[in-house]
Amino acid sequence: MRDDRTRAATALVAMAGKAVRDLRRPSFPVDVTTPSGENLTTDQPGRYPLDLRPMTAGSTLDHERVVVTRAATGETYRNPVSVSLYALAQHTGAIAAGPSGVTAAERPPGVQALLCQAGWLRASQDGNGGWRYPVPVPRYGVRPGWYSAMAQGLAVSVMLRAYATTGERSFLDASEGAVELMLRPLEAGGCSHYDQLGRPFPEECPSEPVSHILNGAVFALFGLCELSRHQNGTAHERVASRLRDSLTAFDLGYWTRYDLRHTAPASFAYHCLHVALLTAAGRVLADPRWLTVAHAWDRYTHSPARRLRAAAGKGRFVLRERRDRS
């Protein structure tokens, strides 16, 4: 028993020390401005709100050039979130490279990569409008076969860009089906938890009790915003209102939480992602209240003491999880 405590303490100190020593901030560039010459029509998506190229730089492609993810078992599978993040990153790169030709043969590699991922998403979307995950999530007690609002929203963003590129109506239809499932209540097999005001919180992982994962919900919101813009609708407003009013619950006073089911602080990478997502959301929605919270959370990262406290808290949480599973 003493040896177990010693190993746990050593691991905790190592994790905390690494957080203080590693001063490299993860890169999540906010990218909501439109470059000169880009289409500014309200129904055509341009740059994604975040430049996802740093996040997806290490993506692995299979023989069909579709992104694959390695599960805990060692097996690989096509994860719709990873597929979509890569597609959006490639699209951003294509836009940054400048105007491209109008024919399929003239499309730059980034656009071709986007369309490859979008084609898989369209072909693999099930009759409910979603993509079931074949892996469990032990942290939330979720078995294989679940839908993710984060996957739904990101896929919408990918397929809207594929529709804008090709004009193929099936991509737009797939986007609409994905949003319908995203906003369907959890108890009806969907991805959203509704409050007493009828406002949905898109659940990245549909657990019981609900987990309310922040980054997944904001990614879902971006997809919903883009489809609402295309349809000249307002479906995103209730989600934006719910998420904005929930932000204080994620604030520990010195750091942010990854979700509302656990009180542990988020990792440094996820905390920085929270700052970037809120900054992007504030600009996309033209709502300074998101930017105010993002600025407050960003200040936390400049304090070594807060970073150490967050790393220690995260380390204790991870060690407790490992102990509970053993």
Side-chain angles (χ1 to χ4, degrees):
M1 180 67 71
R2 180 175 298 177
D3 289 343
D4 290 341
R5 287 198 296 267
T6 300
R7 284 194 293 269
T10 300
L12 182 60
V13 170
M15 283 187 279
K18 182 179 184 300
V20 174
R21 292 191 304 272
D22 188 359
L23 299 178
R24 295 170 298 176
R25 185 185 180 95
S27 180
F28 305 112
V30 177
D31 191 10
V32 296
T33 58
T34 303
S36 177
E38 186 178 335
N39 193 332
L40 288 170
T41 56
T42 58
D43 63 347
Q44 296 296 321
R47 290 181 183 268
Y48 192 71
L50 292 185
D51 183 345
L52 300 169
R53 286 176 290 179
M55 186 190 299
T56 61
S59 298
T60 300
L61 307 180
D62 64 14
H63 66 285
E64 294 182 335
R65 308 297 295 173
V66 177
V67 172
V68 292
T69 301
R70 190 168 299 279
T73 60
E75 298 177 340
T76 59
Y77 70 102
R78 291 174 172 178
N79 180 332
V81 164
S82 300
V83 167
S84 298
L85 291 171
Y86 176 78
L88 294 167
Q90 293 297 305
H91 183 262
T92 294
I95 290 179
S100 59
V102 296
T103 68
E106 296 173 323
R107 289 170 184 157
V111 173
Q112 294 177 19
L114 167 83
L115 295 178
C116 180
Q117 312 310 306
W120 176 77
L121 288 168
R122 179 179 57 183
S124 59
Q125 186 178 31
D126 66 21
N128 290 321
W131 296 266
R132 290 190 183 274
Y133 271 78
V135 295
V137 187
R139 173 174 292 177
Y140 300 111
V142 176
R143 297 180 178 180
W146 48 282
Y147 292 119
S148 169
M150 180 178 179
Q152 301 297 122
L154 283 166
V156 168
S157 294
V158 172
M159 289 188 290
L160 284 176
R161 285 163 176 78
Y163 172 64
T165 300
T166 66
E168 296 178 20
R169 173 73 197 197
S170 57
F171 284 121
L172 180 58
D173 292 340
S175 298
E176 293 171 347
V179 162
E180 192 282 326
L181 179 63
M182 180 208 300
L183 296 179
R184 189 182 304 170
L186 290 171
E187 55 270 24
C191 302
S192 286
H193 173 268
Y194 282 77
D195 65 9
Q196 294 180 340
L197 299 177
R199 300 179 302 176
F201 191 111
E203 295 292 340
E204 178 179 338
C205 188
S207 60
E208 177 58 43
V210 291
S211 49
H212 289 344
I213 300 171
L214 180 57
N215 83 92
V218 180
F219 276 118
L221 172 62
F222 289 157
L224 184 57
C225 284
E226 291 181 346
L227 185 60
S228 290
R229 182 178 62 186
H230 177 83
Q231 298 173 331
N232 195 27
T234 60
H236 66 285
E237 293 180 356
R238 290 185 302 151
V239 174
S241 173
R242 173 82 183 274
L243 295 185
R244 188 190 63 236
D245 289 351
S246 300
L247 293 179
T248 55
F250 288 93
D251 194 333
L252 294 170
Y254 65 96
W255 209 252
T256 57
R257 300 163 63 174
Y258 176 78
D259 61 34
L260 295 187
R261 182 166 174 175
H262 304 99
T263 57
S267 67
F268 182 51
Y270 272 109
H271 178 82
C272 292
L273 179 58
H274 292 164
V275 172
L277 286 169
L278 264 60
T279 301
R283 296 179 183 176
V284 168
L285 297 165
D287 186 342
R289 290 171 290 186
W290 292 79
L291 300 175
T292 298
V293 177
H295 181 66
W297 289 0
D298 184 53
R299 287 201 302 268
Y300 294 160
T301 67
H302 301 298
S303 167
R306 285 171 169 166
R307 289 180 60 173
L308 176 60
R309 182 180 177 185
K314 180 66 175 180
R316 286 193 296 269
F317 173 69
V318 171
L319 291 174
R320 187 166 59 249
E321 275 194 319
R322 293 175 180 173
R323 184 174 61 248
D324 292 344
R325 293 176 190 172
S326 62

